[in-house]
Amino acid sequence: MKSQSGIRQHALSLLFAALFLGALAGQSFAGLAAYNEEQISHGQAPATYGEFVTSSAFVVDVAENWQSEYLQFFLFIIATIWFVQKGSPESKKPGDEGTGTDEEQRVGPHARPDSPRWAGASGWRRTLYSNSLLLVMGAIFVLSWWAQSLAGLVVYNEEQAEHGQQALDWTEYVMSADFWNRTLQNWQSEFLAVGSMVVLSIYLRQRGSAESKPVGLPHRTTAIESE
């Protein structure tokens, strides 16, 4: 019973971990098939599964999706500190902009007995922990962006060599149209999705979802609150 209770308590993260791994595996097999079709059409030997999933062709596709997702989270986290959207459950209430007082955030002398240890600390430890979510999201974005740029450079230069054209160095590649075409097509879709969620959640509801206001709350109500 304890293990079942533990699974239920972590069901949301476990569900998305399973969906992520399933989608990643599906992408690897579909990508291998598409890659080998292209290899054969160019008179080259097909790759094995192991060769493909460790190739720059696979890494660049994975990394460019990851970096756009984590950029989305990074920007949304920092934007919701200072910007509000009246009526959206994705926003704080108008008037609550900013980082909040120590009392509101329950840090330092206002920390509870069961608060995280660094919430009650002082100096750099409290500052670091107070911004830890933003820092980690930003770090994952930068690392994914860097991985995308390196893998994309290899893929691009392989294509250049096939056409007898000059290879680029890293700086030239990250300034190229190919790199920014790959990057911006993902960014625009993420920004559209987040903006749509913010606005649509003002007027639409999903009963039982933490991402929605209670069905009967007025459109003007920004956060889940009693009137």
Side-chain angles (χ1 to χ4, degrees), residues 84-204:
V84 297
Q85 176 59 57
K86 184 174 177 62
S88 176
E90 301 296 321
S91 167
K92 295 186 290 189
K93 291 180 291 184
D96 286 349
E97 298 90 340
T99 56
T101 65
D102 286 354
E103 183 178 4
E104 291 170 338
Q105 293 292 316
R106 297 175 183 171
V107 297
H110 304 286
R112 301 182 352 173
D114 58 350
S115 294
R117 185 174 60 180
W118 280 24
S122 60
W124 68 269
R125 290 183 298 169
R126 187 199 307 172
T127 300
L128 181 63
Y129 189 69
S130 296
N131 298 283
S132 55
L133 181 60
L134 187 67
L135 291 171
V136 170
M137 291 294 183
I140 296 174
F141 161 68
V142 171
L143 291 173
S144 300
W145 183 90
W146 181 66
Q148 176 201 345
S149 70
L150 293 179
L153 175 62
V154 173
V155 172
Y156 183 81
N157 281 340
E158 287 175 350
E159 294 175 352
Q160 290 289 91
E162 288 177 4
H163 294 87
Q165 297 177 337
Q166 184 177 1
L168 302 182
D169 61 26
W170 182 82
T171 303
E172 291 172 329
Y173 177 66
V174 296
M175 298 294 291
S176 70
D178 180 83
F179 177 78
W180 285 105
N181 178 54
R182 282 180 171 272
T183 300
L184 292 173
Q185 65 180 307
N186 285 304
W187 286 9
Q188 55 88 12
S189 63
E190 302 301 337
F191 298 154
L192 175 64
V194 172
S196 298
M197 183 66 177
V198 169
V199 174
L200 292 176
S201 62
I202 299 173
Y203 304 103
L204 306 178

Side-chain angles (χ1 to χ4, degrees), residues 27-28 66 69 76 134 138 164 170-171 173:
Q27 178 189 353
S28 69
W66 288 15
E69 294 291 344
F76 192 63
L134 187 67
W170 182 82
T171 303
Y173 177 66

Side-chain angles (χ1 to χ4, degrees), residues 23-38:
L24 185 63
Q27 178 189 353
S28 69
F29 286 110
L32 174 62
Y35 181 80
N36 281 339
E37 286 178 2
E38 187 172 348

